[in-house]
Amino acid sequence: MTDIVFLRDVTESDLPIFFEQQLDPEATEMAAFPSRDRDAFMAHWAKILADDSVIVKAILFDGQVAGNIVCFEMSSKREVGYWIGKEYWGKGIATKALAAFLDHVKTRPLYAHVAKHNTGSRRVLEKCGFTIVGEDKGFPDVRGQEIEEFILKLG
Ligand SMILES: CC(C)(COP(=O)(O)OP(=O)(O)OC[C@H]1O[C@@H](n2cnc3c(N)ncnc32)[C@H](O)[C@@H]1OP(=O)(O)O)[C@@H](O)C(=O)NCCC(=O)NCCS
């Protein structure tokens, strides 16, 4: 066993793991992003995997699927996003995964939208060189409240 974090292409067998990871209520609260039911989740991932403009990787830690990391286009800008399963939090995995992803994805600038209360994710981005360049309002959450977000940029 090693503490190595590495990225590889996503396979079909990763999807049930990602599905479980995005169901966690603490994670959805952090990300201010609602979980999808199984059908919606699988349809969403089928679209992601079929879209050549999306770069997506599974994050492996100790050989286990710890999460995923993605780069996609939104409003003509390249955005990054990631999700780590709760049992893997606090081990530096997101930071190492994002650093490795940034070596692989050379496009700059890159952007990220982060809920203002998501201190962990903001820290991950800042440790990898992103800085806050603005603010935005995200989609209303499950309680119908608008989400205040920071916009971060690299390059
Ligand atoms: C946010 C998230 C990606 C962090 O992943 P992680 O692997 O635990 O992060 P790391 O271990 O690399 O931590 C990086 C830094 O953030 C800090 N951090 C992590 N989680 C934190 C939290 N909940 N509160 C405060 N700081 C936190 C760590 O202490 C570390 O800082 P340090 O090096 O100064 O000590 C993970 O909790 C997650 O996937 N959450 C749900 C989905 C989500 O929020 N995705 C991002 C949407 S923008």
Side-chain angles (χ1 to χ4, degrees):
M1 301 274 269
T2 66
D3 281 358
I4 291 175
V5 172
F6 77 92
L7 308 180
R8 65 148 167 76
D9 289 342
V10 173
T11 64
E12 287 285 323
S13 62
D14 297 330
L15 301 185
I17 301 170
F18 297 162
F19 173 70
E20 292 297 329
Q21 290 172 343
Q22 60 92 47
L23 284 180
D24 184 85
E26 200 182 332
T28 55
E29 179 75 33
M30 264 174 105
F33 199 83
S35 57
R36 294 183 166 92
D37 66 26
R38 191 174 293 272
D39 286 351
F41 181 85
M42 292 303 169
H44 176 66
W45 273 85
K47 239 169 65 182
I48 290 178
L49 295 175
D51 185 341
D52 286 343
S53 74
V54 176
I55 303 165
V56 61
K57 297 284 177 189
I59 301 168
L60 270 76
F61 176 75
D62 269 354
Q64 306 292 312
V65 178
N68 64 78
I69 186 159
V70 63
C71 176
F72 56 97
E73 194 163 308
M74 190 171 80
S75 310
S76 307
K77 291 180 173 154
R78 301 293 295 176
E79 286 268 333
V80 289
Y82 38 78
W83 200 284
I84 306 292
K86 188 150 82 183
E87 64 268 44
Y88 298 100
W89 290 0
K91 300 177 193 295
I93 296 175
T95 307
K96 286 184 191 148
L98 180 59
F101 195 64
L102 295 173
D103 277 346
H104 174 68
V105 178
K106 302 287 188 195
T107 315
R108 302 289 183 272
L110 280 177
Y111 292 86
H113 279 68
V114 185
K116 284 191 179 173
H117 63 256
N118 196 346
T119 322
S121 184
R122 179 178 156 191
R123 183 87 187 106
V124 167
L125 290 157
E126 289 179 337
K127 287 179 80 172
C128 290
F130 283 76
T131 53
I132 293 177
V133 292
E135 300 188 4
D136 203 354
K137 296 216 190 291
F139 294 114
D141 67 7
V142 278
R143 292 180 290 275
Q145 284 170 340
E146 242 180 11
I147 299 300
E148 301 267 336
E149 295 175 331
F150 287 122
I151 304 169
L152 288 94
K153 181 182 175 188
L154 176 73

